[in-house]
Amino acid sequence: MILSNISFPDILIFLIFLAPQLLFTIRTDTLLITIICALPHLLILIPFQLIKERYFTPFQSRSPYVQRATLFQDVVIRCVRYAFANMPASIGAVFFSKPVALPFMRWRMLRHGYFRSPIHYEEVLIDVVEGFDITTSKTAKSKQVRGVWMMVDKSKAPDVCVYYMHGGGFSMGSCYFYLEFLLAWLHLLRVHPDKTFSNPAVLALDYTLVPEETYPRQLWEVVSGYRWLLNKARQTPEEPLDNVAQRVCISGDSAGSTLSLSLLLKLATESSTSTSSIPPAPAFATLISPWPTLVSHLHSQTFSDYLNTTSLHLYARQYIGDVDASGTEINTLLDIQTLRTKKDLSYLTDPIASPGTCKDVEIWRKAWPSRGWHWIFGQEETLGDDAREMIRYLQEDVKHIAGKGTMKVTEEEKQVHAWPVVQLFLGEGEEERLVEESTEEKRTEQ
């Protein structure tokens, strides 16, 4: 199911779905202050900056993303940039929540003539266990995590599975916001001329957001979701999980890629204990706009990207439970030494929570997916240097001893954070919008 790009009427419908959820969810005073502060930017400053750069600035002097963006794309990215830097995460969470994202996707399907999804999807509840020994580990407080299970033919076992963790700085986002993106990816796996896969499936995990829970709760939800997927994807009840894992691609964007790397490292670390209940690692990984290191001097603001380093590091601190999620410290200049004056922030340098800090070659050798992985990010990303350094380390220090799997890197020229997701919604033509790179790589490795 491939729908056309987002239009201005779509945005109007989205706002209609959004407005009552904001009124029901956000405190009135917080909402009013946010709106009052935003109006001068949305009505005056952002239009002024847009007109000045697009129409009165020489092409080569414009920011790289503006050089390639349409007017509509430019408007949307500027608004997102303002929201990420200035709006509380609690408001952002409503934008991407199920009560807004799901009816909006259904509206988009209806606008394209679909009264129901041509691809089956259903909500699932997964038991969460904090540990690998299911018989002795305690069940997490809320006991279950929600996910969405998608597949072409639900009467048959899948022949390939994508396990996806959404982005959103651990504080925003939901798997429902990514449904259209993931259904498009699933569709591409099925209809490609090579006909490699006949019944692909996707499990999108709706892990618990900050501030409701902090690390390591999200990690155990990811582990539990992966265990559920391996059992669900068995082609026969007796099929060994090692075989099933060879058909699994773990994936995520931004914070979701952090959780994907955390899962790979956790499985690799625990495998050293020779515990039989540890699930086998997935055979492939596709990381979109990866965030390897939670807080790093390599995170640098660019003129094109919509991410803001101060907000990004605040979300990282909230994820590891260092600061309250009220956002009161959002304007603080952050660095590692300053952070350490508040409390012991061992999670910021914990190799599982912040995978970019892991420099254990042997652990990375074990974590290396057997069929390889694909790193995808934009040239203009705030997280770009962090991703490049992680890639350099893996290619130069680990790959020669891993002895398995290829490593492909796609760095898209003049693009911003999470560009495959952004382009699906905002791209003009089909070639620009679809995620052929990640699909083709997964097919090649199979």
Side-chain angles (χ1 to χ4, degrees), residues 80-91:
V80 172
R81 184 182 299 128
Y82 169 81
F84 190 84
N86 297 281
M87 289 188 180
S90 58
I91 291 181

Side-chain angles (χ1 to χ4, degrees), residues 129-139 227 275-278:
V129 177
E130 295 180 349
F132 287 101
D133 189 344
I134 301 176
T135 60
T136 60
S137 298
K138 66 176 182 177
T139 303
R227 183 185 287 114
T275 302
S276 59
S277 59
I278 297 172

Side-chain angles (χ1 to χ4, degrees), residues 35-310:
I35 293 173
I36 292 170
C37 291
L39 285 177
H41 291 267
L42 297 177
L43 299 179
I44 301 174
L45 187 58
I46 290 177
F48 173 77
Q49 293 172 339
L50 182 145
I51 293 170
K52 179 182 177 182
E53 184 171 10
R54 289 192 71 88
Y55 303 110
F56 295 96
T57 301
F59 182 83
Q60 294 302 324
S61 298
R62 301 173 192 169
S63 62
Y65 181 73
V66 172
Q67 291 178 13
R68 68 172 293 164
T70 65
L71 175 61
F72 179 68
Q73 293 167 352
D74 195 1
V75 170
V76 173
I77 292 301
R78 287 175 190 271
C79 292
V80 172
R81 184 182 299 128
Y82 169 81
F84 190 84
N86 297 281
M87 289 188 180
S90 58
I91 291 181
V94 179
F95 274 73
F96 304 112
S97 64
K98 177 183 177 180
V100 177
L102 188 56
F104 179 65
M105 192 196 75
R106 288 172 174 163
W107 149 256
R108 292 209 3 103
M109 289 171 53
L110 184 62
R111 185 166 74 82
H112 289 81
Y114 294 101
F115 290 93
R116 57 180 298 178
S117 173
I119 298 175
H120 171 77
Y121 68 88
E122 61 181 293
E123 186 176 291
V124 295
L125 292 175
I126 300 168
D127 291 333
V128 178
V129 177
E130 295 180 349
F132 287 101
D133 189 344
I134 301 176
T135 60
T136 60
S137 298
K138 66 176 182 177
T139 303
K141 283 181 286 187
S142 69
K143 298 184 179 181
Q144 292 181 317
V145 62
R146 188 169 53 189
V148 174
W149 175 242
M150 300 160 250
M151 62 188 309
V152 174
D153 185 349
K154 65 178 181 178
S155 67
K156 300 178 181 178
D159 51 7
V160 65
C161 295
V162 176
Y163 182 34
Y164 197 86
M165 270 65 68
H166 66 78
F170 308 103
S171 303
M172 299 174 282
S174 75
C175 61
Y176 300 94
F177 181 78
Y178 286 77
L179 273 180
E180 185 176 333
F181 171 74
L182 294 172
L183 289 171
W185 191 354
L186 192 153
H187 173 81
L188 290 172
L189 287 169
R190 182 171 65 95
V191 303
H192 194 278
D194 290 347
K195 298 293 183 182
T196 308
F197 305 119
S198 61
N199 195 30
V202 175
L203 173 63
L205 193 71
D206 205 36
Y207 58 86
T208 307
L209 300 177
V210 173
E212 183 178 345
E213 293 286 352
T214 59
Y215 181 87
R217 169 59 189 269
Q218 290 81 3
L219 173 62
W220 290 122
E221 290 180 346
V222 170
V223 171
S224 299
Y226 180 58
R227 183 185 287 114
W228 182 94
L229 174 62
L230 290 178
N231 285 284
K232 182 71 173 179
R234 278 176 158 156
Q235 295 183 341
T236 65
E238 299 79 22
E239 183 180 22
L241 293 184
D242 286 339
N243 292 358
V244 182
Q246 291 300 304
R247 301 193 297 271
V248 175
C249 169
I250 187 172
S251 185
D253 66 289
S254 194
S257 71
T258 308
L259 290 169
S260 299
L261 289 170
S262 294
L263 174 63
L264 292 173
L265 288 175
K266 187 66 175 175
L267 295 176
T269 301
E270 296 296 328
S271 66
S272 303
T273 65
S274 301
T275 302
S276 59
S277 59
I278 297 172
F284 194 80
T286 297
L287 305 177
I288 301 172
S289 294
W291 183 3
T293 313
L294 290 178
V295 174
S296 172
H297 68 280
L298 295 174
H299 301 159
S300 57
Q301 195 71 47
T302 71
F303 290 109
S304 293
D305 203 11
Y306 54 84
L307 291 188
N308 173 282
T309 53
T310 302

